[in-house]
Amino acid sequence: MDTDEIIAAIKNRCIELGLTQAQLADRAAISPKTLYSFLSERHDLGWRKLNRIFDSLDLSFTIKPGKGRPTESELAGIFGDDDE
């Protein structure tokens, strides 16, 4: 999940719950300015603040293994054979 997806999830959840940004900031114990800056993609947030926002919205993070790096045969399939 990238930053854009996290911001979209927060905004969508606020709409579902009928919360304003000011109300969310109050629930998450962060300044409205900090929340606005994050949601408008001007500043990043630390883990603790982001976690408080998610807790306030009854959202959770899920950590799972990534796809990993492609193998040589997968790369050959992607880029084709350059020897021809």
Side-chain angles (χ1 to χ4, degrees):
M1 185 173 243
D2 65 18
T3 304
D4 292 335
E5 292 170 317
I6 291 171
I7 290 170
I10 291 169
K11 288 179 177 180
N12 289 335
R13 186 67 173 155
C14 282
I15 291 168
E16 289 173 10
L17 297 174
L19 290 175
T20 65
Q21 287 184 13
Q23 290 169 323
L24 174 58
D26 186 53
R27 280 185 175 196
I30 62 175
S31 76
K33 182 179 176 181
T34 298
L35 179 62
Y36 177 78
S37 292
F38 175 68
L39 295 177
S40 60
E41 300 185 47
R42 292 185 190 153
H43 296 287
D44 286 332
L45 285 181
W47 168 252
R48 287 185 180 111
K49 288 180 182 176
L50 192 57
N51 193 45
R52 287 199 313 254
I53 290 169
F54 269 55
D55 283 347
S56 297
L57 296 172
D58 195 28
L59 295 173
S60 64
F61 290 95
T62 301
I63 298 174
K64 61 182 183 176
K67 295 178 184 176
R69 298 177 67 149
T71 64
E72 284 187 46
S73 61
E74 290 170 332
L75 287 173
I78 293 169
F79 295 107
D81 190 356
D82 290 341
D83 293 336
E84 293 180 32

